[in-house]
Amino acid sequence: MTETNFKDVQKELKKHNSDIAREALNILFVLVTAPESEEEAKYLCNSFLPERVYVSKSNDKKNFKILDPFFEELLNLIDKIMKNFDDIVNNKYKPEELSESMEEMVKLLKNHNTLSKKEFLELSLDTAMGTMDAFDDKFGDFVSELTDNSAEMREFFNFIDFLKEDLDSHKAKLKKEKITENKYHAVIEKVCVLMFNLVILSNIMTIMFKEDFEFDYKGNELDEESVFDPFDDDEDIHDVEPIFDPYDNRAFELKFKLMHYSPEVYRTLVIPAGYNLDTLHHIIQDIFEWDNMHLHEFIKNKKRYSMNPDSTYDDDYSNQVFLSEVFKRKGSKIKYMYDFGDSWLIEISVLKTHKNMEKPYPVCIDAYGTSPEEDSGGIMGYMDMIDEEELAENEYDIKGINRVLKDSYKNIFDKYK
């Protein structure tokens, strides 16, 4: 987001005992509760919001000119969030775009807040919990009907209760703990993750409610063509022969950084340039100690690569793309998304290109941070496990990983020479 007139906006909002960060929290609350009338909006805000500011009620046109740039910027971000929702409805969900929007919101809240860190975290947590209470007030009966008839839906909505308990725990600790920069960032990010998911969830609930949506609890068979199966194993995949270039003697020094976490969790490897992206996927699974249990994709400049490409969107098979095609120079980047539930997002960047590879297999030369566990709840779950000391912050066996890498990839070029 740009900084257009943000200083003037902060100054004007201060007259109304507010700031940009607090206004952004209020707008997220309204997006989740989705009031259908001014009367409902007043009820929800007065009942569940810890702090309310009605700057837009001002009759001073000069004030509007100053505030317009902020609201325009914020609404652009909100539009991006809602586009993510539309993509979900239309089976075009792009997790990395939602992550980018969330990252922008985290920066907005951190950089444009005039309260102390402790005061702002308390306000953020109160707003998040108030938002959940408002969601329950509006959709509670409908949610109860769904969860009474479906174990899957019951498990899904238990997640909301878990989040509330987690945020309650954070609030209780605020009075006792020193607020470090890492803690400050982590809690704001958790609040944003919750609010973004509630925005999407409330829109889904609104559509279901308005359309008098009903689940077929009897398990009647659906038309196979209308069912989307993300784990469908297309036989054609196995007919696509992977490509390698054993005669490309270069090697890329690549940094693999786990996004949305601080301190930085990363791995640095030297990898033969003649590999393809699908091989890189398996290397990532090895270095982050995952089990390849979920879907994944690579994303570069809105183009996607996987072993289940969607030709409608001009996706490509990842085993048909050389590393040299995506890593053209120092600083070149590509993103890797693994497990669309936990949404692990890794940024891969070129640190250096070596003219002559020393070994025909990957070598890990540097690393920091314990690997996140499979199905641990994404970044939020990982943060909790570190905070509760269920995982050490930096426990990683480079020697052991290098033994795995050597054994797995040392003969990969042999059949292609």
Side-chain angles (χ1 to χ4, degrees), residues 55-104:
V55 176
S56 59
K57 296 286 186 182
S58 170
N59 293 319
D60 188 343
K61 292 183 178 180
K62 182 181 176 183
N63 290 351
F64 279 117
K65 288 180 181 177
I66 294 174
L67 292 171
D68 277 350
F70 160 63
F71 286 112
E72 186 178 340
E73 289 288 336
L74 187 57
L75 287 172
N76 286 338
L77 178 54
I78 299 305
D79 283 344
K80 286 172 69 175
I81 300 171
M82 300 316 294
K83 181 179 181 298
N84 292 138
F85 165 67
D86 290 338
D87 287 341
I88 290 171
V89 171
N90 295 307
N91 286 328
K92 302 176 187 175
Y93 181 40
K94 304 178 181 69
E96 81 285 350
E97 290 185 5
L98 185 61
S99 295
E100 288 169 4
S101 299
M102 188 187 74
E103 200 170 349
E104 285 186 55

Side-chain angles (χ1 to χ4, degrees), residues 235-252:
E235 291 181 4
D236 291 340
I237 289 175
H238 304 293
D239 295 332
V240 181
E241 182 70 20
I243 59 172
F244 292 91
D245 185 357
Y247 302 105
D248 188 338
N249 292 320
R250 297 173 300 160
F252 294 122

Side-chain angles (χ1 to χ4, degrees), residues 13 38 63 112 118 122 160 188 192 207 230 281 361 363-364:
L13 284 172
E38 188 174 345
N63 290 351
H112 300 286
K118 186 166 287 192
E122 188 171 2
I160 299 295
I188 291 176
C192 285
I207 288 174
H281 152 66
Y361 52 83
V363 177
C364 183

Side-chain angles (χ1 to χ4, degrees), residues 215-376:
F215 283 103
D216 186 354
Y217 298 117
K218 296 178 182 178
N220 291 338
E221 205 170 296
L222 297 173
D223 177 9
E224 286 186 8
E225 291 184 2
S226 68
V227 179
F228 171 67
D229 180 5
F231 298 102
D232 182 32
D233 191 9
D234 189 343
E235 291 181 4
D236 291 340
I237 289 175
H238 304 293
D239 295 332
V240 181
E241 182 70 20
I243 59 172
F244 292 91
D245 185 357
Y247 302 105
D248 188 338
N249 292 320
R250 297 173 300 160
F252 294 122
E253 191 170 314
L254 303 177
K255 182 176 181 179
F256 301 78
K257 182 177 75 171
L258 182 66
M259 301 292 284
H260 311 311
Y261 187 77
S262 177
E264 209 172 73
V265 174
Y266 68 89
R267 315 283 184 250
T268 304
L269 281 80
V270 177
I271 298 178
Y275 283 3
N276 61 61
L277 278 179
D278 186 53
T279 306
L280 190 64
H281 152 66
H282 290 286
I283 292 169
I284 294 171
Q285 291 292 306
D286 289 332
I287 62 177
F288 281 93
E289 302 172 275
W290 289 328
D291 301 317
N292 201 17
M293 296 166 57
H294 302 283
L295 295 172
H296 73 278
E297 64 180 4
F298 291 92
I299 311 105
K300 186 176 178 70
N301 299 330
K302 297 186 179 181
K303 191 172 180 68
R304 289 171 158 69
Y305 309 90
S306 71
M307 289 306 292
N308 296 279
D310 187 339
S311 58
T312 307
Y313 300 102
D314 197 30
D315 296 352
D316 277 345
Y317 284 102
S318 51
N319 69 354
Q320 299 298 297
V321 181
F322 289 123
L323 297 189
S324 55
E325 293 180 60
V326 293
F327 299 128
K328 296 182 181 296
R329 61 187 67 83
K330 180 179 178 180
S332 291
K333 295 178 181 178
I334 192 170
K335 288 180 179 176
Y336 171 84
M337 173 69 75
Y338 173 62
D339 183 354
F340 299 157
D342 281 359
S343 298
W344 301 111
L345 185 63
I346 293 172
E347 181 184 78
I348 309 160
S349 56
V350 179
L351 302 181
K352 187 187 300 184
T353 299
H354 299 268
K355 290 183 178 179
N356 295 293
M357 61 179 171
E358 293 183 8
K359 296 180 173 67
Y361 52 83
V363 177
C364 183
I365 59 174
D366 191 18
Y368 184 88
T370 303
S371 298
E373 294 184 356
E374 286 270 18
D375 299 322
S376 57

